[in-house]
PDB file of all heavy atoms in Angstrom:
ATOM      1  N   ALA B  40      17.931   0.752   6.420  1.00 98.00           N
ATOM      2  CA  ALA B  40      17.819   1.247   5.053  1.00 98.00           C
ATOM      3  C   ALA B  40      19.174   1.674   4.498  1.00 98.00           C
ATOM      4  O   ALA B  40      19.534   1.303   3.378  1.00 98.00           O
ATOM      5  CB  ALA B  40      16.838   2.411   4.993  1.00 98.00           C
ATOM      6  N   ALA B  41      19.954   2.444   5.282  1.00 98.00           N
ATOM      7  CA  ALA B  41      21.227   2.944   4.764  1.00 98.00           C
ATOM      8  C   ALA B  41      22.184   1.783   4.495  1.00 98.00           C
ATOM      9  O   ALA B  41      22.825   1.710   3.441  1.00 98.00           O
ATOM     10  CB  ALA B  41      21.848   3.929   5.742  1.00 98.00           C
ATOM     11  N   THR B  71      14.493   1.297  10.856  1.00 97.00           N
ATOM     12  CA  THR B  71      13.847   1.855   9.657  1.00 97.00           C
ATOM     13  C   THR B  71      12.399   1.385   9.591  1.00 97.00           C
ATOM     14  O   THR B  71      11.508   2.108   9.140  1.00 97.00           O
ATOM     15  CB  THR B  71      14.582   1.366   8.390  1.00 97.00           C
ATOM     16  OG1 THR B  71      15.954   1.697   8.487  1.00 97.00           O
ATOM     17  CG2 THR B  71      13.989   1.970   7.143  1.00 97.00           C
ATOM     18  N   VAL B  72      12.181   0.182  10.071  1.00 97.00           N
ATOM     19  CA  VAL B  72      10.875  -0.468  10.004  1.00 97.00           C
ATOM     20  C   VAL B  72       9.775   0.365  10.656  1.00 97.00           C
ATOM     21  O   VAL B  72       8.608   0.263  10.307  1.00 97.00           O
ATOM     22  CB  VAL B  72      10.981  -1.875  10.650  1.00 97.00           C
ATOM     23  CG1 VAL B  72      10.805  -1.840  12.154  1.00 97.00           C
ATOM     24  CG2 VAL B  72      10.009  -2.854  10.013  1.00 97.00           C
ATOM     25  N   ALA B  74       9.523   3.719  10.708  1.00 93.00           N
ATOM     26  CA  ALA B  74       9.209   4.996  10.057  1.00 93.00           C
ATOM     27  C   ALA B  74       7.836   4.896   9.408  1.00 93.00           C
ATOM     28  O   ALA B  74       7.513   3.888   8.793  1.00 93.00           O
ATOM     29  CB  ALA B  74      10.268   5.341   9.019  1.00 93.00           C
ATOM     30  N   GLU B  75       7.055   5.946   9.572  1.00 88.00           N
ATOM     31  CA  GLU B  75       5.671   5.835   9.130  1.00 88.00           C
ATOM     32  C   GLU B  75       5.346   6.714   7.925  1.00 88.00           C
ATOM     33  O   GLU B  75       4.908   6.246   6.881  1.00 88.00           O
ATOM     34  CB  GLU B  75       4.728   6.166  10.299  1.00 88.00           C
ATOM     35  CG  GLU B  75       4.875   5.168  11.439  1.00 88.00           C
ATOM     36  CD  GLU B  75       4.084   5.557  12.686  1.00 88.00           C
ATOM     37  OE1 GLU B  75       3.184   6.395  12.585  1.00 88.00           O
ATOM     38  OE2 GLU B  75       4.385   5.003  13.762  1.00 88.00           O
ATOM     39  N   GLY B  76       5.575   8.021   8.056  1.00 85.00           N
ATOM     40  CA  GLY B  76       4.997   8.993   7.129  1.00 85.00           C
ATOM     41  C   GLY B  76       5.391   8.867   5.681  1.00 85.00           C
ATOM     42  O   GLY B  76       4.528   8.740   4.820  1.00 85.00           O
ATOM     43  N   GLY B  77       6.674   8.907   5.379  1.00 94.00           N
ATOM     44  CA  GLY B  77       7.022   8.856   3.972  1.00 94.00           C
ATOM     45  C   GLY B  77       8.437   9.294   3.689  1.00 94.00           C
ATOM     46  O   GLY B  77       9.238   9.484   4.598  1.00 94.00           O
ATOM     47  N   ALA B  78       8.714   9.434   2.400  1.00 96.00           N
ATOM     48  CA  ALA B  78      10.051   9.782   1.933  1.00 96.00           C
ATOM     49  C   ALA B  78       9.915  10.866   0.879  1.00 96.00           C
ATOM     50  O   ALA B  78       9.122  10.735  -0.055  1.00 96.00           O
ATOM     51  CB  ALA B  78      10.737   8.552   1.351  1.00 96.00           C
ATOM     52  N   ALA B  79      10.686  11.935   1.035  1.00 96.00           N
ATOM     53  CA  ALA B  79      10.516  13.085   0.152  1.00 96.00           C
ATOM     54  C   ALA B  79      11.400  13.004  -1.087  1.00 96.00           C
ATOM     55  O   ALA B  79      12.561  12.618  -1.000  1.00 96.00           O
ATOM     56  CB  ALA B  79      10.852  14.370   0.912  1.00 96.00           C
ATOM     57  N   PHE B 111      21.618  15.927  -2.527  1.00 98.00           N
ATOM     58  CA  PHE B 111      20.554  15.111  -1.952  1.00 98.00           C
ATOM     59  C   PHE B 111      19.247  15.244  -2.728  1.00 98.00           C
ATOM     60  O   PHE B 111      18.651  14.253  -3.153  1.00 98.00           O
ATOM     61  CB  PHE B 111      20.373  15.504  -0.484  1.00 98.00           C
ATOM     62  CG  PHE B 111      19.115  15.007   0.150  1.00 98.00           C
ATOM     63  CD1 PHE B 111      18.954  13.657   0.459  1.00 98.00           C
ATOM     64  CD2 PHE B 111      18.066  15.877   0.448  1.00 98.00           C
ATOM     65  CE1 PHE B 111      17.791  13.191   1.047  1.00 98.00           C
ATOM     66  CE2 PHE B 111      16.901  15.429   1.034  1.00 98.00           C
ATOM     67  CZ  PHE B 111      16.760  14.081   1.332  1.00 98.00           C
ATOM     68  N   LEU B 119      14.186   6.907  -4.996  1.00 97.00           N
ATOM     69  CA  LEU B 119      12.838   6.408  -4.693  1.00 97.00           C
ATOM     70  C   LEU B 119      12.280   5.618  -5.868  1.00 97.00           C
ATOM     71  O   LEU B 119      11.553   4.639  -5.706  1.00 97.00           O
ATOM     72  CB  LEU B 119      11.906   7.565  -4.318  1.00 97.00           C
ATOM     73  CG  LEU B 119      12.286   8.337  -3.049  1.00 97.00           C
ATOM     74  CD1 LEU B 119      11.121   9.194  -2.595  1.00 97.00           C
ATOM     75  CD2 LEU B 119      12.709   7.427  -1.922  1.00 97.00           C
ATOM     76  N   TRP B 129       4.532   1.736  -3.168  1.00 97.00           N
ATOM     77  CA  TRP B 129       4.163   3.151  -2.997  1.00 97.00           C
ATOM     78  C   TRP B 129       2.679   3.340  -3.266  1.00 97.00           C
ATOM     79  O   TRP B 129       2.123   2.713  -4.161  1.00 97.00           O
ATOM     80  CB  TRP B 129       4.949   4.038  -3.977  1.00 97.00           C
ATOM     81  CG  TRP B 129       6.429   4.036  -3.792  1.00 97.00           C
ATOM     82  CD1 TRP B 129       7.362   3.564  -4.678  1.00 97.00           C
ATOM     83  CD2 TRP B 129       7.179   4.538  -2.667  1.00 97.00           C
ATOM     84  NE1 TRP B 129       8.633   3.739  -4.170  1.00 97.00           N
ATOM     85  CE2 TRP B 129       8.543   4.331  -2.941  1.00 97.00           C
ATOM     86  CE3 TRP B 129       6.818   5.134  -1.457  1.00 97.00           C
ATOM     87  CZ2 TRP B 129       9.559   4.700  -2.060  1.00 97.00           C
ATOM     88  CZ3 TRP B 129       7.823   5.496  -0.573  1.00 97.00           C
ATOM     89  CH2 TRP B 129       9.177   5.287  -0.881  1.00 97.00           C
ATOM     90  N   TRP B 151       6.483  10.790  -0.872  1.00 96.00           N
ATOM     91  CA  TRP B 151       6.028   9.480  -1.345  1.00 96.00           C
ATOM     92  C   TRP B 151       5.689   8.661  -0.109  1.00 96.00           C
ATOM     93  O   TRP B 151       6.367   8.763   0.909  1.00 96.00           O
ATOM     94  CB  TRP B 151       7.127   8.740  -2.085  1.00 96.00           C
ATOM     95  CG  TRP B 151       7.724   9.412  -3.272  1.00 96.00           C
ATOM     96  CD1 TRP B 151       7.978  10.739  -3.439  1.00 96.00           C
ATOM     97  CD2 TRP B 151       8.179   8.768  -4.467  1.00 96.00           C
ATOM     98  NE1 TRP B 151       8.566  10.963  -4.655  1.00 96.00           N
ATOM     99  CE2 TRP B 151       8.701   9.761  -5.312  1.00 96.00           C
ATOM    100  CE3 TRP B 151       8.199   7.436  -4.915  1.00 96.00           C
ATOM    101  CZ2 TRP B 151       9.237   9.475  -6.561  1.00 96.00           C
ATOM    102  CZ3 TRP B 151       8.734   7.146  -6.154  1.00 96.00           C
ATOM    103  CH2 TRP B 151       9.244   8.156  -6.973  1.00 96.00           C
ATOM    104  N   THR B 157       5.601   3.431   5.651  1.00 96.00           N
ATOM    105  CA  THR B 157       6.587   3.625   4.591  1.00 96.00           C
ATOM    106  C   THR B 157       7.924   2.979   4.945  1.00 96.00           C
ATOM    107  O   THR B 157       8.527   2.296   4.120  1.00 96.00           O
ATOM    108  CB  THR B 157       6.775   5.128   4.322  1.00 96.00           C
ATOM    109  OG1 THR B 157       5.487   5.713   4.177  1.00 96.00           O
ATOM    110  CG2 THR B 157       7.581   5.346   3.070  1.00 96.00           C
ATOM    111  N   GLY B 158       8.380   3.190   6.168  1.00 97.00           N
ATOM    112  CA  GLY B 158       9.668   2.625   6.564  1.00 97.00           C
ATOM    113  C   GLY B 158       9.636   1.111   6.525  1.00 97.00           C
ATOM    114  O   GLY B 158      10.580   0.458   6.059  1.00 97.00           O
ATOM    115  N   PHE B 159       8.545   0.561   6.982  1.00 97.00           N
ATOM    116  CA  PHE B 159       8.378  -0.891   6.965  1.00 97.00           C
ATOM    117  C   PHE B 159       8.493  -1.432   5.541  1.00 97.00           C
ATOM    118  O   PHE B 159       9.256  -2.366   5.269  1.00 97.00           O
ATOM    119  CB  PHE B 159       7.015  -1.256   7.579  1.00 97.00           C
ATOM    120  CG  PHE B 159       6.551  -2.643   7.259  1.00 97.00           C
ATOM    121  CD1 PHE B 159       7.049  -3.731   7.950  1.00 97.00           C
ATOM    122  CD2 PHE B 159       5.631  -2.859   6.245  1.00 97.00           C
ATOM    123  CE1 PHE B 159       6.638  -5.009   7.630  1.00 97.00           C
ATOM    124  CE2 PHE B 159       5.215  -4.139   5.926  1.00 97.00           C
ATOM    125  CZ  PHE B 159       5.715  -5.213   6.624  1.00 97.00           C
ATOM    126  N   LEU B 161       9.707   0.039   2.901  1.00 98.00           N
ATOM    127  CA  LEU B 161      11.000   0.356   2.319  1.00 98.00           C
ATOM    128  C   LEU B 161      12.064  -0.639   2.800  1.00 98.00           C
ATOM    129  O   LEU B 161      12.824  -1.196   2.013  1.00 98.00           O
ATOM    130  CB  LEU B 161      11.347   1.779   2.740  1.00 98.00           C
ATOM    131  CG  LEU B 161      12.417   2.505   1.974  1.00 98.00           C
ATOM    132  CD1 LEU B 161      11.983   3.934   1.744  1.00 98.00           C
ATOM    133  CD2 LEU B 161      13.703   2.511   2.746  1.00 98.00           C
ATOM    134  N   LEU B 162      12.051  -0.906   4.098  1.00 98.00           N
ATOM    135  CA  LEU B 162      13.056  -1.815   4.646  1.00 98.00           C
ATOM    136  C   LEU B 162      12.859  -3.234   4.109  1.00 98.00           C
ATOM    137  O   LEU B 162      13.817  -3.894   3.711  1.00 98.00           O
ATOM    138  CB  LEU B 162      12.986  -1.827   6.178  1.00 98.00           C
ATOM    139  CG  LEU B 162      14.021  -2.733   6.844  1.00 98.00           C
ATOM    140  CD1 LEU B 162      15.430  -2.200   6.638  1.00 98.00           C
ATOM    141  CD2 LEU B 162      13.753  -2.900   8.335  1.00 98.00           C
ATOM    142  N   ARG B 414      15.636  18.488  11.296  1.00 94.00           N
ATOM    143  CA  ARG B 414      15.400  17.739  10.068  1.00 94.00           C
ATOM    144  C   ARG B 414      13.969  17.925   9.591  1.00 94.00           C
ATOM    145  O   ARG B 414      13.026  17.917  10.377  1.00 94.00           O
ATOM    146  CB  ARG B 414      15.655  16.246  10.303  1.00 94.00           C
ATOM    147  CG  ARG B 414      15.311  15.388   9.114  1.00 94.00           C
ATOM    148  CD  ARG B 414      15.668  13.950   9.334  1.00 94.00           C
ATOM    149  NE  ARG B 414      14.874  13.282  10.349  1.00 94.00           N
ATOM    150  CZ  ARG B 414      13.629  12.841  10.168  1.00 94.00           C
ATOM    151  NH1 ARG B 414      13.031  12.999   9.007  1.00 94.00           N
ATOM    152  NH2 ARG B 414      12.979  12.232  11.143  1.00 94.00           N
ATOM    153  N   SER B 417      10.205  13.436   6.661  1.00 93.00           N
ATOM    154  CA  SER B 417      10.253  12.634   5.436  1.00 93.00           C
ATOM    155  C   SER B 417      11.531  12.815   4.618  1.00 93.00           C
ATOM    156  O   SER B 417      11.627  12.303   3.523  1.00 93.00           O
ATOM    157  CB  SER B 417       9.011  12.800   4.555  1.00 93.00           C
ATOM    158  OG  SER B 417       9.005  13.995   3.843  1.00 93.00           O
ATOM    159  N   ASN B 418      12.527  13.519   5.169  1.00 96.00           N
ATOM    160  CA  ASN B 418      13.829  13.536   4.511  1.00 96.00           C
ATOM    161  C   ASN B 418      14.717  12.378   4.966  1.00 96.00           C
ATOM    162  O   ASN B 418      15.688  12.045   4.297  1.00 96.00           O
ATOM    163  CB  ASN B 418      14.563  14.847   4.802  1.00 96.00           C
ATOM    164  CG  ASN B 418      14.374  15.864   3.684  1.00 96.00           C
ATOM    165  OD1 ASN B 418      13.740  15.564   2.673  1.00 96.00           O
ATOM    166  ND2 ASN B 418      14.911  17.058   3.859  1.00 96.00           N
ATOM    167  N   SER B 419      14.389  11.771   6.122  1.00 97.00           N
ATOM    168  CA  SER B 419      15.363  10.821   6.674  1.00 97.00           C
ATOM    169  C   SER B 419      15.414   9.507   5.892  1.00 97.00           C
ATOM    170  O   SER B 419      16.485   8.951   5.678  1.00 97.00           O
ATOM    171  CB  SER B 419      15.093  10.553   8.147  1.00 97.00           C
ATOM    172  OG  SER B 419      13.913   9.825   8.313  1.00 97.00           O
ATOM    173  N   LEU B 420      14.261   9.001   5.454  1.00 97.00           N
ATOM    174  CA  LEU B 420      14.309   7.752   4.681  1.00 97.00           C
ATOM    175  C   LEU B 420      15.057   7.984   3.382  1.00 97.00           C
ATOM    176  O   LEU B 420      15.890   7.172   2.968  1.00 97.00           O
ATOM    177  CB  LEU B 420      12.890   7.244   4.393  1.00 97.00           C
ATOM    178  CG  LEU B 420      12.127   6.655   5.575  1.00 97.00           C
ATOM    179  CD1 LEU B 420      10.704   6.293   5.164  1.00 97.00           C
ATOM    180  CD2 LEU B 420      12.828   5.429   6.139  1.00 97.00           C
ATOM    181  N   THR B 421      14.761   9.110   2.750  1.00 98.00           N
ATOM    182  CA  THR B 421      15.454   9.426   1.503  1.00 98.00           C
ATOM    183  C   THR B 421      16.952   9.579   1.750  1.00 98.00           C
ATOM    184  O   THR B 421      17.773   9.137   0.955  1.00 98.00           O
ATOM    185  CB  THR B 421      14.880  10.718   0.892  1.00 98.00           C
ATOM    186  OG1 THR B 421      13.465  10.681   0.986  1.00 98.00           O
ATOM    187  CG2 THR B 421      15.276  10.843  -0.554  1.00 98.00           C
ATOM    188  N   GLU B 422      17.284  10.202   2.886  1.00 98.00           N
ATOM    189  CA  GLU B 422      18.702  10.382   3.214  1.00 98.00           C
ATOM    190  C   GLU B 422      19.406   9.031   3.308  1.00 98.00           C
ATOM    191  O   GLU B 422      20.523   8.852   2.815  1.00 98.00           O
ATOM    192  CB  GLU B 422      18.861  11.138   4.540  1.00 98.00           C
ATOM    193  CG  GLU B 422      20.332  11.345   4.900  1.00 98.00           C
ATOM    194  CD  GLU B 422      20.544  11.938   6.290  1.00 98.00           C
ATOM    195  OE1 GLU B 422      19.558  12.120   7.031  1.00 98.00           O
ATOM    196  OE2 GLU B 422      21.711  12.212   6.618  1.00 98.00           O
ATOM    197  N   CYS B 423      18.748   8.066   3.945  1.00 98.00           N
ATOM    198  CA  CYS B 423      19.345   6.728   4.072  1.00 98.00           C
ATOM    199  C   CYS B 423      19.679   6.159   2.701  1.00 98.00           C
ATOM    200  O   CYS B 423      20.716   5.531   2.513  1.00 98.00           O
ATOM    201  CB  CYS B 423      18.380   5.781   4.776  1.00 98.00           C
ATOM    202  SG  CYS B 423      18.246   6.078   6.544  1.00 98.00           S
ATOM    203  N   LEU B 424      18.762   6.376   1.741  1.00 98.00           N
ATOM    204  CA  LEU B 424      18.967   5.809   0.413  1.00 98.00           C
ATOM    205  C   LEU B 424      20.058   6.557  -0.343  1.00 98.00           C
ATOM    206  O   LEU B 424      21.003   5.951  -0.856  1.00 98.00           O
ATOM    207  CB  LEU B 424      17.656   5.855  -0.380  1.00 98.00           C
ATOM    208  CG  LEU B 424      16.495   5.071   0.233  1.00 98.00           C
ATOM    209  CD1 LEU B 424      15.209   5.364  -0.517  1.00 98.00           C
ATOM    210  CD2 LEU B 424      16.781   3.577   0.222  1.00 98.00           C
ATOM    211  N   VAL B 425      19.939   7.895  -0.373  1.00 98.00           N
ATOM    212  CA  VAL B 425      20.892   8.670  -1.161  1.00 98.00           C
ATOM    213  C   VAL B 425      22.308   8.507  -0.604  1.00 98.00           C
ATOM    214  O   VAL B 425      23.248   8.172  -1.338  1.00 98.00           O
ATOM    215  CB  VAL B 425      20.499  10.166  -1.183  1.00 98.00           C
ATOM    216  CG1 VAL B 425      21.618  11.016  -1.768  1.00 98.00           C
ATOM    217  CG2 VAL B 425      19.208  10.362  -1.967  1.00 98.00           C
TER     218      VAL B 425
END
Side-chain angles (χ1 to χ4, degrees):
Chain B
T71 305
V72 85
E75 297 173 17
F111 166 72
L119 297 195
W129 297 115
W151 302 37
T157 311
F159 163 80
L161 197 138
L162 181 67
R414 175 176 68 78
S417 77
N418 264 357
S419 69
L420 287 176
T421 317
E422 180 187 5
C423 286
L424 299 171
V425 169

